[in-house]
């Protein structure tokens, strides 16, 4: 149980375009989802906390107008990278808070490459 | 600020025991997690410690000392499939996780 999916797994886009990444909790309801970014050989950095039905809370240094997060239902959160640039190329991972409050279940990640 | 330190890389032999250390200094503490991450994949949960002491789960054990800001992950009877990165993460409050840089473990035959 506690499975999180992400779509797409890989995406290549041109500089200046927007990309949407979906994060779904398949067998549990996630009132809170988290979005992370991971650069090569680095650890996961929390970008934002997404609560169902309310605005996301962004970490310091993360541009909320560039990384749009929508958490419209208990099983779906989306991250849209707007006007993508090559420096946005990274591995984006979401997680959902599980039935036990301290647990987070991670999605398989989305590899974004901006050319 | 938040600071979580782990060794960058470790090597060990199949069948051996390896201990991966993690020291932390964070503004809050609601528990410490260990995750395993294979290259290009999402992290998978290994253990959670919120009280001092040792938690054992099969071949994996995790220890926590809150007064020392220290934890370790112990892997026994190493297998080739254990080659991965091991991430130490501290929950600082409101379920926020702050991750260490990760330790890349290479298990050789």
């Amino acid at each position: 149980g506690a499975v999180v999916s992400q779509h797409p797994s890989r995406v290549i886009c041109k500089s200046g375009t927007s990309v949407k990444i979906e994060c779904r909790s398949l067998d549990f309801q996630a009132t809170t989802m988290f979005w992370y970014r991971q650069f090569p050989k680095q650890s996961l950095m929390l970008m934002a906390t997404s609560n169902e039905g309310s605005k996301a809370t962004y970490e310091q240094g993360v541009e909320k107008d560039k990384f749009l997060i929508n958490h419209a239902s208990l099983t779906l959160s989306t991250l849209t990278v707007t006007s993508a640039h090559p420096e946005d190329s990274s591995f984006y991972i979401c997680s959902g808070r599980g039935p036990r409050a301290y647990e987070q279940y991670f999605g398989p990640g989305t590899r974004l490459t901006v050319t | 600020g938040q600071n979580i330190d782990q060794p960058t890389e470790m090597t060990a032999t199949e069948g051996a025991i390896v201990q991966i250390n993690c020291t932390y200094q964070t503004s809050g503490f609601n528990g410490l997690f260990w995750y395993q991450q294979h290259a290009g994949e999402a992290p998978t949960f290994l253990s959670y410690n919120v009280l001092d002491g040792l938690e054992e789960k099969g071949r994996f054990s995790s220890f926590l000392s809150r007064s020392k800001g220290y934890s370790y992950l112990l892997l026994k009877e190493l297998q080739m499939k254990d080659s991965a990165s091991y991430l130490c993460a501290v929950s600082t409050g409101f379920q926020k996780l702050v991750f260490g840089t990760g330790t890349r473990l290479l298990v050789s035959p």
Side-chain angles (χ1 to χ4, degrees):
Chain A
V3 178
V4 175
S5 70
Q6 274 184 250
H7 179 79
S9 57
R10 288 177 181 272
V11 58
I12 301 173
C13 71
K14 293 190 175 180
S15 189
T17 61
S18 296
V19 174
K20 180 186 282 189
I21 302 170
E22 291 187 350
C23 175
R24 292 181 186 272
S25 56
L26 298 184
D27 52 2
F28 68 102
Q29 293 183 330
T31 53
T32 303
M33 288 184 170
F34 303 88
W35 286 95
Y36 296 86
R37 182 166 51 182
Q38 186 176 34
F39 292 107
K41 296 191 177 181
Q42 293 186 25
S43 196
L44 280 74
M45 296 295 293
L46 179 65
M47 299 175 67
T49 303
S50 166
N51 291 298
E52 186 263 339
S54 64
K55 290 184 179 180
T57 303
Y58 291 81
E59 295 300 299
Q60 195 171 7
V62 178
E63 300 173 59
K64 62 180 181 181
D65 295 329
K66 180 171 182 62
F67 298 99
L68 302 179
I69 292 172
N70 184 277
H71 193 157
S73 77
L74 288 172
T75 59
L76 173 65
S77 176
T78 60
L79 167 68
T80 301
V81 183
T82 62
S83 187
H85 290 288
E87 56 264 33
D88 298 325
S89 298
S90 188
F91 193 48
Y92 291 86
I93 304 176
C94 70
S95 70
R97 193 185 77 180
R100 282 175 288 194
Y102 63 84
E103 289 178 319
Q104 284 189 33
Y105 293 93
F106 288 84
T110 296
R111 174 78 58 196
L112 170 63
T113 304
V114 184
T115 62
Chain B
Q2 321 282 29
N3 197 37
I4 300 177
D5 287 321
Q6 304 178 235
T8 304
E9 209 166 89
M10 298 182 72
T11 58
T13 307
E14 203 173 9
I17 299 172
V18 71
Q19 177 173 314
I20 303 174
N21 295 324
C22 170
T23 57
Y24 64 90
Q25 286 180 304
T26 56
S27 55
F29 183 84
N30 284 338
L32 187 142
F33 296 79
W34 284 95
Y35 288 88
Q36 180 191 62
Q37 186 181 27
H38 286 99
E41 298 180 12
T44 55
F45 171 81
L46 290 178
S47 69
Y48 169 67
N49 294 69
V50 66
L51 299 175
D52 290 352
L54 187 68
E55 294 279 342
E56 295 185 83
K57 191 187 292 185
R59 293 191 298 117
F60 292 18
S61 303
S62 58
F63 172 84
L64 175 67
S65 168
R66 289 171 296 170
S67 62
K68 295 181 179 178
Y70 168 69
S71 173
Y72 68 72
L73 179 70
L74 193 71
L75 293 78
K76 303 175 186 175
E77 301 168 18
L78 280 173
Q79 301 175 9
M80 298 296 289
K81 67 179 182 179
D82 296 329
S83 291
S85 288
Y86 290 85
L87 310 178
C88 171
V90 172
S91 175
T92 59
F94 302 103
Q95 295 137 357
K96 281 189 180 181
L97 288 181
V98 178
F99 281 84
T101 51
T103 299
R104 196 158 56 243
L105 174 66
L106 178 63
V107 180
S108 57

